[in-house]
Amino acid sequence: LGELSISIEQLKVILLTHQDLDHIGCATDIRKKSNENIIVYAHEFDKPYIEGKLLLIKTNASRMSNEELAAIPDEIKYLYTNPPKVDVDIVLKGSQMLPYCEGIEPIFTPGHTPGHVSFYLRKSKTLVAGDALVFANGQLMGPVKQTTLNMDQAVHSLEKFLHYDIEHVICYHGGYFQGCPKEAILRIKEHIAQGES
Ligand SMILES: [Zn+2]
């Protein structure tokens, strides 16, 4: 934001793709540092986790073994026992056009988490894929198996992207990919069908 000369106070909305710690971690601080009118969006299936009413599915200390807990660096241990939470103001349900950037369409893409959502920015033909896709080694890959709760569902969700005219993809892990993800999605599906990862 600093590089773009945008201040936190200028932000109007936070669109959360899903509940994972590395995606919601700053939302509370951003809300505090911005104006309190900032609007937080998330899917209804991930909302109770994001709001702290349920423990986060993946970084849940009560589900981890003593060895796993011991392996977490001390300085971030508090995140596992007392994860950040933020109130969700508007619940994403079906497809509803959001009135920002001349139209942002949420695409429900469950699998990585139950309420994972990707966002399509109509005007710039940009897909914000969250963790539904990963950009690594110069190509788009499917969701990471180890951190994806329902792989079949996650791969099925990718098919939804085939219905959109996409020219840019932004993955949370790996960043920017220029082009249409169609070829990559067909390749990912084929690999999965063949039992490869
Ligand atoms: Zn994630």
Side-chain angles (χ1 to χ4, degrees), residues 18 20 23 112 131:
H18 63 295
D20 285 349
H23 294 258
H112 181 72
D131 282 352

Side-chain angles (χ1 to χ4, degrees), residues 35 50 65 82 95 104-105 108 123 140 166 178 187:
N35 62 75
I50 293 166
S65 68
N82 186 20
S95 54
I104 298 180
E105 191 179 335
F108 181 43
K123 192 178 176 226
L140 284 175
I166 298 167
Q178 183 169 23
R187 171 175 41 79

Side-chain angles (χ1 to χ4, degrees), residues 1 6-16 27 30-41 86-90 98-102 104:
L1 289 175
I6 296 170
S7 70
I8 285 189
E9 295 78 29
Q10 285 174 272
L11 299 179
K12 293 178 183 162
V13 295
I14 300 175
L15 306 180
L16 295 174
I30 291 174
R31 169 166 257 167
K32 274 187 207 143
K33 287 180 182 151
S34 68
N35 62 75
E36 282 290 315
N37 297 324
I38 199 164
I39 303 168
V40 178
Y41 287 79
V86 67
D87 286 340
V88 174
D89 303 302
I90 299 186
L98 307 180
Y100 312 107
C101 304
E102 300 190 38
I104 298 180

Side-chain angles (χ1 to χ4, degrees), residues 18-23 58 112-113 116 130-131 147 172-173:
H18 63 295
Q19 63 172 280
D20 285 349
L21 192 58
D22 52 340
H23 294 258
K58 296 177 204 169
H112 181 72
T113 67
H116 188 285
D131 282 352
T147 57
Y172 180 72
H173 299 286

